[in-house]
Amino acid sequence: MSTLITNIAELMTQDLEHRVLKDAAVVVEGERIAWIGSAASAPAADDAVDAGGRAMLPGWVDSHTHLLFAGDRTAEFEARMAGESYSAGGIAVTVDATRATSDFDLTRLALGRVAEAVSQGTTYLETKTGYGLTVEEEARSARIASTVADQATYLGAHLVPAGMDAGEYTDLVCGPMLAAVRPFVQWADVFCETGAFTEEQSRRVLAACRDAGLGLRVHGNQLGEGPGVRLAVELGAASVDHVNHLSGADVEALAGTWSGWDATSGTGERGTVATCLPACDLSTRQPLAPARALLDTGVQVALASNCNPGTSYTSSMAYCVATAVLQMRLSVHEAVRAATYGGALALHKDQGADADGERAVGSIAVGHRADLHVLNAPSATHLAYRPGMPLTYAVWRAGVRER
Ligand SMILES: N=CN[C@@H](CCC(=O)O)C(=O)O
Ligand SMILES: [Zn+2]
């Protein structure tokens, strides 16, 4: 079964050549993109969809979410808006609510959040554990995460539970808890920040998880300058996320990780993606991450929602893109790239087409997964020009029309 989507006013491919085609068409065959080019030379297909002169871009790749939770933290948000500052301790409120929720309800809540994201153009997403914090609860979250998201991350090192010794809890995270979650996750993450995990504890967790075969990610430099970026670079993490407070040395270190990468062919030695979370920055009144400086220094950047009940209760990638353009000084093309290809790079899903059985996401090219987002607008510029407007018109996820 093939579908020709034609009359696309602007096709922002976010492929390696950064092509933006006018008056374009795309053919979807099963789960893959089979053809792209000018509408005038499009081949025939079983079915046809008229995009009506709208813009198409890759579906958003949300590479950082925390969707496995119950309850909300409205009171904490209100206190913050009244002047209190964010601290890691709020996580415990969500842990209590999550533990008190059945498997069925936790799954239903997470699926509802995924559906919300997909309806706004997200077609590939990662989610994390981290609101369980016991062996059984983290294993449960990891199991459910693996069924609701495309990729799952183990974040047992989110907060030391009340009444536990930090060293003993770190042992648990590196030992029995890791063994229990291992079948369900691809990645491990650690909240390396004052009030959460120290540099030494974070290094221990990351090393144990790496030895268990997991890829690494780090929550770092969110609330102040600290060891997060250094640790991510030292251990070869795929991404370091938040990155609000960076020293010049942090930026240089991140740029250095990309010195062996050839961005024009998408080959070479991968570095550590800097994942900026602007919705979280606004909701916690932190300075926006220096995405402009990171890009200018040669760092690969991703934008993600960080959807969670404490610091960023939104899955709107369009909101992140609008903020990146209006306030972080990215061009529309750069912001959309960070929210699509950048996320794929951070999740190691930027490559693969037909031959190897893997399908790249985050860019529109033949053989890639057919994850497509049509805007109710003639160009992607409208994402920033009309911020806050519901611009998602149609969504294909792995070739299936979702909206
Ligand atoms: N920073 C650590 N973890 C989450 C927040 C978790 C929470 O406050 O519930 C984040 O990415 O912002
Ligand atoms: Zn997070």
Side-chain angles (χ1 to χ4, degrees), residues 7-21:
N7 199 9
I8 301 167
E10 177 187 274
L11 179 67
M12 187 176 267
T13 63
Q14 297 296 353
D15 64 0
L16 290 169
E17 296 101 78
H18 299 246
R19 283 180 297 170
V20 180
L21 309 179

Side-chain angles (χ1 to χ4, degrees), residues 64 66 73 86 91 131 158 191 219 222 242 280 306 308 310-311:
H64 183 142
H66 306 247
R73 309 232 296 269
Y86 173 76
I91 294 168
Y131 293 119
H158 202 187
F191 186 13
H219 279 69
Q222 177 186 7
H242 286 291
C280 172
N306 190 20
N308 79 79
T311 62

Side-chain angles (χ1 to χ4, degrees), residues 27 40 48 51 69 122 169 191 193 214 223 233 240 268 271 365 373 399:
V27 175
F69 69 86
T122 297
Y169 183 67
F191 186 13
E193 200 78 46
L214 295 176
L223 305 175
V233 168
V240 56
H373 183 191

Side-chain angles (χ1 to χ4, degrees), residues 257-274:
T257 67
W258 290 99
S259 59
W261 176 251
D262 178 6
T264 54
S265 62
T267 57
E269 200 179 329
R270 288 163 177 283
T272 300
V273 173

